Amino acid sequence: MRSETSPEADRKAAASSAREVIELLEVLWSTGRDMASPAPVSSSQLRVLYTLDRDQPINLRTLGAVLGSAPSSVSRMCDRLEALGFVERCPSSSSRREVELRLSPRGERYLKELRGRRETALLDVISTMPADDRAALATGLRSFRMAVDGGTSPSARTTAESA
């Protein structure tokens, strides 16, 4: 007889599995960064680079709101990233009193190389998985991403629509 699990037990099991995967990815990323990164940045600085890559140009106030950080902290992080040559400050096109932040070409290259190394490391692991498991992983990760973004997963929408 098959034992059914409660929704709470399913959530806890999923959270535990996700935590374990995140910890493995942190190890995988730090190993790759130590071996190949020409200018490693902190996780906070990397978050700034990802935000700029997605939402540039952006001013310091908006960046601080996105990051949930104090303006002085964001300004110092951007100072360090500018010193590394990853971020450029430019006069705002809409207000002479504001400064816009953008990724520099060097910052764009850094992110491209970092993502490439990470994808290669992931492909090495994922290629050892059976095809059905890879498909299930892709579906689960899409749903996870949508949940993080505040949306609903495709399977949840299908279930809701058929009800």
Short mmCIF file of all heavy atoms in Angstrom, two decimals, residues 156-163:
data_model
loop_
_atom_site.label_atom_id
_atom_site.label_comp_id
_atom_site.label_asym_id
_atom_site.label_seq_id
_atom_site.Cartn_x
_atom_site.Cartn_y
_atom_site.Cartn_z
N ALA A 156 -0.03 24.51 -12.32
CA ALA A 156 -1.04 25.06 -11.42
C ALA A 156 -2.13 25.76 -12.21
O ALA A 156 -3.31 25.66 -11.88
CB ALA A 156 -0.41 26.02 -10.42
N ARG A 157 -1.73 26.48 -13.29
CA ARG A 157 -2.72 27.14 -14.11
C ARG A 157 -3.61 26.11 -14.80
O ARG A 157 -4.81 26.26 -14.87
CB ARG A 157 -2.05 28.03 -15.16
CG ARG A 157 -1.60 29.37 -14.62
CD ARG A 157 -1.30 30.34 -15.73
NE ARG A 157 -0.40 29.78 -16.73
CZ ARG A 157 0.93 29.88 -16.68
NH1 ARG A 157 1.52 30.52 -15.70
NH2 ARG A 157 1.68 29.36 -17.63
N THR A 158 -3.01 25.03 -15.31
CA THR A 158 -3.77 23.99 -15.99
C THR A 158 -4.76 23.35 -15.01
O THR A 158 -5.93 23.15 -15.35
CB THR A 158 -2.83 22.92 -16.57
OG1 THR A 158 -1.92 23.56 -17.45
CG2 THR A 158 -3.61 21.85 -17.31
N THR A 159 -4.31 23.05 -13.80
CA THR A 159 -5.17 22.46 -12.79
C THR A 159 -6.31 23.41 -12.43
O THR A 159 -7.47 23.01 -12.34
CB THR A 159 -4.35 22.11 -11.53
OG1 THR A 159 -3.30 21.24 -11.90
CG2 THR A 159 -5.22 21.46 -10.47
N ALA A 160 -6.00 24.69 -12.26
CA ALA A 160 -7.00 25.67 -11.90
C ALA A 160 -8.02 25.86 -13.03
O ALA A 160 -9.21 26.01 -12.78
CB ALA A 160 -6.35 27.01 -11.57
N GLU A 161 -7.53 25.84 -14.27
CA GLU A 161 -8.42 26.05 -15.41
C GLU A 161 -9.37 24.88 -15.61
O GLU A 161 -10.49 25.04 -16.04
CB GLU A 161 -7.61 26.28 -16.69
CG GLU A 161 -6.90 27.63 -16.68
CD GLU A 161 -5.84 27.75 -17.77
OE1 GLU A 161 -5.69 26.80 -18.56
OE2 GLU A 161 -5.19 28.81 -17.82
N SER A 162 -8.90 23.65 -15.29
CA SER A 162 -9.73 22.48 -15.50
C SER A 162 -10.71 22.25 -14.36
O SER A 162 -11.61 21.45 -14.45
CB SER A 162 -8.86 21.23 -15.71
OG SER A 162 -8.10 20.98 -14.56
N ALA A 163 -10.53 22.95 -13.23
CA ALA A 163 -11.40 22.77 -12.07
C ALA A 163 -12.73 23.47 -12.23
O ALA A 163 -12.96 24.29 -13.02
CB ALA A 163 -10.71 23.27 -10.82
#
